[in-house]
Amino acid sequence: MLQKYASFVVNNAAQVNSIENGLRTLTYVLPGRFADAELASEAIYTLLSFVGVYHDKLLAQAAIKGLLVDKQGQPLKLDPTVFSRYHGQMAHASDVYRVAAHVLSCVQYAEKLVEMVAAKRLGNRRRWQVVTWIEITKVVLRLALLRASGQRMVTGAVVPEREVDPGSLGSTKHMEQGVDAKKQWKGGRSRLSFTSVREILQQAEGNADLGAFVANSPQNAERIAPAPSLMHRLNALGLTGELLFILRPLIYVLSMRKLGANNWRAWALSLLIELTSRQMLRSDINVPRTLERDEMARRKWLFVYYLVRMPFFEQFTEK
């Protein structure tokens, strides 16, 4: 059954993607339409997140096997980003990293739905207990990722990004039609495709200038570097900053439960921890690499949330 479903998704990728997008649009118009509409909307969105990840995996596997073609009918070549290469290689090298990354992603997809159900069915007090346990689970998983990665920064998302755009696909190539796998060599670890020397010689009728081919195919160092070199190993200062960042959401929830959601001390404590963490990491990583630069930029944008958190929102932003 799963094999038939996978085949259907691969053969009808564009149509399946359109259905997913349509259902996602539906989640924006449902709230307010009927009782429990917000809960139904969030449930649909959560389910689509899980289904989307599974579909992305199916399409990536099909592309690796040479079963997908682009609009021109050429074999689709995967061009994984630095982000996808890092997390893919880390997951391949460590079972702990792979399991922790997937469980963390599942928790992130479902946490809002779980909180909404807890608030509606269990009451506000039990809701905060559920939220606390969610944050404890995320802390444990992020600490596992931090350890498994060799004390490197833990990014916001921890699974490879979508590698195949369904909108760019042409008619699916069946296995019997085949792509001449002998023309390319695929790395089992990196999943990158490389043109074979034999194919270069055949295309040039034996007169290929291999030196010119190499010179005209410059590679970004980060695109061919092993995963551990894509991020710095944190020293004591940076590690302390990363631990503070990982623990901050849990500390914020616990302080709100103790002091109240509208208490300025809880708000200020969370902001202070986040600022301290950022400064420690910036002091440790003098020349950030691409992934670290992107993650630091993402964390910088997280400061905007302080404008919509209580009590700041009630006293300043709302006015």
Side-chain angles (χ1 to χ4, degrees):
M1 180 64 73
L2 284 177
Q3 185 62 36
K4 290 182 179 180
Y5 179 74
S7 178
F8 173 81
V9 171
V10 171
N11 292 330
N12 303 276
Q15 293 85 346
V16 171
N17 186 62
S18 297
I19 294 173
E20 288 181 25
N21 291 336
L23 290 174
R24 283 193 177 91
T25 302
L26 182 63
T27 63
Y28 295 109
V29 299
L30 274 181
R33 300 287 178 176
F34 55 89
D36 292 336
E38 291 81 3
L39 191 60
S41 175
E42 187 61 33
I44 294 173
Y45 191 85
T46 301
L47 178 61
L48 286 173
S49 297
F50 286 107
V51 171
V53 171
Y54 179 60
H55 288 174
D56 291 344
K57 182 179 179 180
L58 292 178
L59 292 178
Q61 290 175 343
I64 293 172
K65 295 177 181 178
L67 302 180
L68 300 180
V69 295
D70 57 22
K71 296 289 188 181
Q72 289 72 41
Q74 298 298 316
L76 187 70
K77 295 181 179 179
L78 290 181
D79 187 21
T81 62
V82 175
F83 179 92
S84 294
R85 287 191 57 246
Y86 174 79
H87 289 291
Q89 290 185 27
M90 282 295 187
H92 184 78
S94 170
D95 291 337
V96 172
Y97 193 97
R98 183 178 68 256
V99 173
H102 281 91
V103 174
L104 178 59
S105 296
C106 291
V107 172
Q108 290 174 328
Y109 291 145
E111 61 180 332
K112 186 175 180 181
L113 176 62
V114 172
E115 182 180 350
M116 291 176 68
V117 171
K120 190 170 186 64
R121 306 298 182 191
L122 304 177
N124 192 59
R125 181 179 178 183
R126 296 291 297 275
R127 169 205 171 195
W128 281 108
Q129 292 178 353
V130 171
V131 171
T132 301
W133 280 108
I134 289 175
E135 293 301 335
I136 290 173
T137 302
K138 289 162 64 177
V139 166
V140 171
L141 292 170
R142 288 188 174 278
L143 289 176
L145 291 171
L146 180 64
R147 180 179 176 84
S149 65
Q151 298 180 4
R152 290 171 174 80
M153 288 180 68
V154 180
T155 56
V158 290
V159 293
E161 301 168 323
R162 166 174 281 189
E163 298 182 71
V164 178
D165 178 13
S168 67
L169 297 178
S171 299
T172 305
K173 241 185 183 182
H174 299 288
M175 191 173 296
E176 55 269 19
Q177 291 176 299
V179 175
D180 189 355
K182 294 181 180 179
K183 294 182 179 181
Q184 292 185 338
W185 176 82
K186 288 185 175 64
R189 179 171 56 85
S190 67
R191 299 197 300 173
L192 296 177
S193 299
F194 301 91
T195 303
S196 68
V197 174
R198 177 179 296 178
E199 176 62 16
I200 298 170
L201 293 172
Q202 289 177 350
Q203 290 178 354
E205 298 181 353
N207 297 318
D209 184 349
L210 294 181
F213 175 80
V214 173
N216 292 328
S217 303
Q219 293 284 345
N220 185 315
E222 289 190 338
R223 297 181 69 85
I224 60 176
S229 66
L230 297 176
M231 278 196 178
H232 290 90
R233 183 184 177 90
L234 297 174
N235 295 322
L237 183 63
L239 183 59
T240 303
E242 187 66 9
L243 288 173
L244 285 175
F245 184 82
I246 291 173
L247 292 170
R248 185 209 59 81
L250 178 59
I251 295 173
Y252 183 49
V253 169
L254 292 175
S255 61
M256 282 195 298
R257 289 185 64 181
K258 182 176 180 61
L259 303 172
N262 293 329
N263 191 283
W264 275 105
R265 284 184 292 173
W267 184 90
L269 176 62
S270 176
L271 178 59
L272 178 62
I273 292 174
E274 199 146 0
L275 287 170
T276 304
S277 167
R278 182 175 180 83
Q279 187 56 45
M280 285 181 169
L281 286 166
R282 291 181 64 182
S283 298
D284 187 20
I285 305 174
N286 296 320
V287 183
R289 290 162 187 163
T290 300
L291 283 178
E292 294 163 337
R293 188 164 55 248
D294 292 346
E295 177 61 16
M296 291 299 286
R298 185 192 72 85
R299 294 184 183 186
K300 184 178 180 180
W301 276 104
L302 293 180
F303 285 105
V304 175
Y305 285 108
Y306 286 93
L307 302 179
V308 294
R309 285 178 180 157
M310 302 294 281
F312 190 95
F313 177 78
E314 185 179 52
Q315 297 193 24
F316 297 100
T317 308
E318 191 176 26
K319 295 178 182 180

